[in-house]
Amino acid sequence: MRKKMVAGNWKMNQRFDEAEELVSEIADIIDAQPLDEDVELVICPPYLFLEMATDIASESEFHIGAQNVSEYDKGAFTGEVSALMLNSMDVEYCIIGHSERRKYFDEKDEVLAAKVNLALANEIEPIFCCGEVLSEREANIHFDIVKAQIEKGLFHLSPEQFYNVVIAYEPVWAIGTGVVASPAQAQEMHAFIRSLIKEKYGAELADDTTILYGGSCNASNAAELFSQPDVDGGLIGGASLKAKDFIQITRSF
Ligand code: PGA
């Protein structure tokens, strides 16, 4: 379902006490001054902090996502966390296919497709990430790269399943670099992604899909990015670790 959304990807940051303080501060700010009704705020802390975060979220107006999920459904997979476990903790979203998982943990398209399936089967909405590295953009193959990631990770889904997927376009060269995509670059790729969905699933579903931008999005550039017709919000890394900046981004539509 298409919605305005800002999701915070905390990555591997914060001690427990710091995390609790940050979630509480976010809750306090939006309790005092509620978000626009049509804007959804999601926080994706590390697994360990999910229980604390869902507890606080249950009394407030924001939602909780995980940063990863196992490709297996259950059993002897030491150290893994299943979609069923996330569901049982009231987790509503899960980031899947982040470029750091693709790069450092060698997660391939088939693994990501399996994660998407398990998330959806357990009523968790995937926030599916795609995006090219700098050399791919320079070689002018960025559209092909993103197309292949989306086709392999998502296009096996039925329309009913696809309806519950959020896509995040995150050019890898923009992640954590301070080099943000221009609003025109973001819009161009978002429109392209929407056209792929239209070709596969039809105009209605394409129009209903939430497509976020991620990569050095912050409180000073969010408004310009979010004003683009096909940019429905952001997946925010660094700037999601400061409550005021993060909330400012959610107020940038
Ligand atoms: P950044 O990260 O906002 O720190 O660039 C975005 C992300 O990796 O999701």
Side-chain angles (χ1 to χ4, degrees):
M1 186 181 57
R2 189 156 176 188
K3 45 197 165 195
K4 292 179 186 165
M5 177 186 283
V6 175
N9 174 12
W10 287 12
K11 311 191 180 183
M12 195 172 72
N13 290 299
Q14 310 276 41
R15 292 162 41 102
F16 179 77
D17 53 343
E18 295 165 336
E20 192 169 35
E21 204 179 303
L22 179 52
V23 181
S24 305
E25 202 183 338
I26 289 168
D28 288 347
I29 297 174
I30 62 176
D31 291 350
Q33 201 188 346
L35 301 168
D36 280 354
E37 246 170 53
D38 59 345
V39 174
E40 195 157 318
L41 186 161
V42 182
I43 300 175
C44 304
Y47 286 142
L48 269 180
F49 307 153
L50 286 173
E51 184 178 5
M52 170 277 289
T54 49
D55 271 358
I56 298 176
S58 69
E59 306 282 315
S60 185
E61 290 299 314
F62 60 94
H63 303 260
I64 299 299
Q67 296 175 18
N68 186 24
V69 65
S70 177
E71 71 201 85
Y72 303 108
D73 69 342
K74 65 173 179 177
F77 299 101
T78 302
E80 287 291 274
V81 172
S82 73
L84 179 66
M85 292 173 190
L86 296 178
N87 169 291
S88 72
M89 303 283 295
D90 298 327
V91 171
E92 294 172 74
Y93 293 96
C94 183
I95 299 171
I96 293 177
H98 191 280
S99 62
E100 288 149 18
R101 302 260 4 138
R102 293 179 191 261
K103 179 176 174 192
Y104 301 123
F105 302 93
D106 204 25
E107 292 190 359
K108 301 273 188 264
D109 296 310
E110 313 75 64
V111 165
L112 301 177
K115 292 182 180 212
V116 166
N117 293 344
L118 284 167
L120 289 169
N122 289 281
E123 289 169 13
I124 292 170
E125 296 191 22
I127 300 175
F128 183 85
C129 302
C130 57
E132 79 285 356
V133 300
L134 186 58
S135 58
E136 291 162 343
R137 180 165 280 265
E138 285 170 348
N140 206 25
I141 55 169
H142 45 299
F143 292 110
D144 301 334
I145 296 294
V146 167
K147 181 174 188 220
Q149 289 170 338
I150 289 182
E151 282 179 350
K152 291 179 186 161
L154 295 176
F155 276 5
H156 61 286
L157 297 173
S158 69
E160 293 72 26
Q161 288 174 310
F162 191 87
Y163 184 74
N164 292 310
V165 171
V166 172
I167 293 177
Y169 168 58
E170 298 204 306
V172 181
W173 46 270
I175 296 178
T177 58
V179 182
V180 63
S182 70
Q185 284 172 323
Q187 169 58 26
E188 185 184 35
M189 185 60 85
H190 284 228
F192 173 71
I193 292 170
R194 214 178 287 287
S195 76
L196 295 176
I197 302 167
K198 184 176 172 191
E199 244 170 69
K200 169 79 183 168
Y201 294 107
E204 205 178 319
L205 200 39
D207 196 47
D208 257 349
T209 303
T210 305
I211 309 178
L212 309 179
Y213 167 80
S216 297
C217 180
N218 59 36
S220 27
N221 59 31
E224 219 189 331
L225 288 160
F226 297 175
S227 70
Q228 302 301 309
D230 287 296
V231 178
D232 301 312
L235 179 56
I236 317 297
S240 71
L241 294 169
K242 293 187 199 115
K244 289 199 181 74
D245 287 14
F246 186 51
I247 297 295
Q248 175 71 34
I249 297 170
T250 66
R251 304 201 200 280
S252 300
F253 290 97

